[in-house]
Amino acid sequence: MDYLQLAKTSDEDLLKAVALINNPEIEPEVRQAMLERLFSTVGENVYNVIYDMATFDMDVVGTVGTGIDMNRVYGIAKVASDSVVTGGAAKTTSSINLWLQDTISKATYDAFNVAHDLGKHPTLTRTERANCCKWCTEHVGTFIDPTSEAFRRHDNCRAKIVVSGYKTRNGLLENYRNPNKKRKGGA
């Protein structure tokens, strides 16, 4: 599944929350702290959901990833908070989107490393979406038992990365069932 599709669904709501917090009447330190809390909460939730789905795909359910990079959280909160003064709304929107994509990519990368360490060998297909850099162009294709490097993303990376493992959802989010969650009706 191409997990970056999920960034689009979270992106809009996250930007609305940032807009509410970025009230110029709020003290800069308070605004910064509120944005740090927002990005920390959203980042942890996105990371955990993507990590759980990726470990499901790779048949390593129940493992724990490394989590989000708090330095990135502080950085994106600073960029968002400063945009009130700098007026850089477009740059902020782009930065938030890239941060969200990076969080998703990191969760997938971490799940892959855990799966690989446990002897699981998923397949990765990487395709271009638009004008790609030289590195992306060199890493297009399908890889059986890829190295973790194949999951790497860089600023403005728009490559499509689809992972299939021992349990596949056929690329559909609705086919994912969290094994730790009870279904309605007690099943």
Side-chain angles (χ1 to χ4, degrees):
M1 170 169 195
D2 182 14
Y3 296 115
L4 285 186
Q5 295 170 7
L6 301 177
K8 294 174 188 170
T9 60
S10 303
D11 208 25
E12 191 174 308
D13 291 336
L14 182 57
L15 291 172
K16 287 178 186 176
V18 169
L20 285 173
I21 294 170
N22 266 351
N23 182 337
E25 295 179 13
I26 298 175
E27 292 293 323
E29 299 81 21
V30 173
R31 190 171 54 238
Q32 173 78 23
M34 291 170 64
L35 287 166
E36 287 173 6
R37 192 172 313 135
L38 171 68
F39 286 115
S40 175
T41 301
V42 170
E44 287 175 9
N45 287 325
V46 166
Y47 178 92
N48 290 334
V49 166
I50 299 300
Y51 183 85
D52 284 348
M53 288 191 301
T55 59
F56 176 86
D57 282 346
M58 297 178 205
D59 199 22
V60 291
V61 174
T63 60
V64 178
T66 61
I68 61 173
D69 180 353
M70 288 307 293
N71 288 326
R72 297 284 316 265
V73 168
Y74 301 139
I76 193 64
K78 180 81 171 138
V79 167
S81 180
D82 288 352
S83 70
V84 171
V85 176
T86 63
K91 181 181 177 190
T92 301
T93 299
S94 176
S95 295
I96 290 171
N97 183 267
L98 290 172
W99 170 78
L100 200 53
Q101 290 177 19
D102 185 59
T103 301
I104 290 168
S105 178
K106 184 179 182 323
T108 308
Y109 174 82
D110 289 350
F112 171 81
N113 280 335
V114 168
H116 195 267
D117 289 348
L118 293 173
K120 304 291 182 174
H121 304 288
T123 300
L124 175 137
T125 302
R126 188 179 182 108
T127 56
E128 294 181 13
R129 285 205 170 154
N131 296 332
C132 287
C133 69
K134 181 181 175 187
W135 188 91
C136 283
T137 303
E138 291 172 355
H139 289 85
V140 166
T142 298
F143 307 93
I144 298 172
D145 192 20
T147 65
S148 58
E149 190 66 21
F151 288 89
R152 289 272 183 213
R153 291 193 182 274
H154 51 277
D155 288 345
N156 298 314
C157 181
R158 300 282 189 234
K160 179 178 181 182
I161 299 174
V162 178
V163 178
S164 57
Y166 291 90
K167 293 182 180 179
T168 182
R169 290 176 306 224
N170 297 320
L172 301 175
L173 179 59
E174 57 267 17
N175 289 343
Y176 169 72
R177 299 288 181 262
N178 185 338
N180 299 322
K181 230 181 196 181
K182 289 189 177 182
R183 293 187 186 158
K184 291 181 181 178

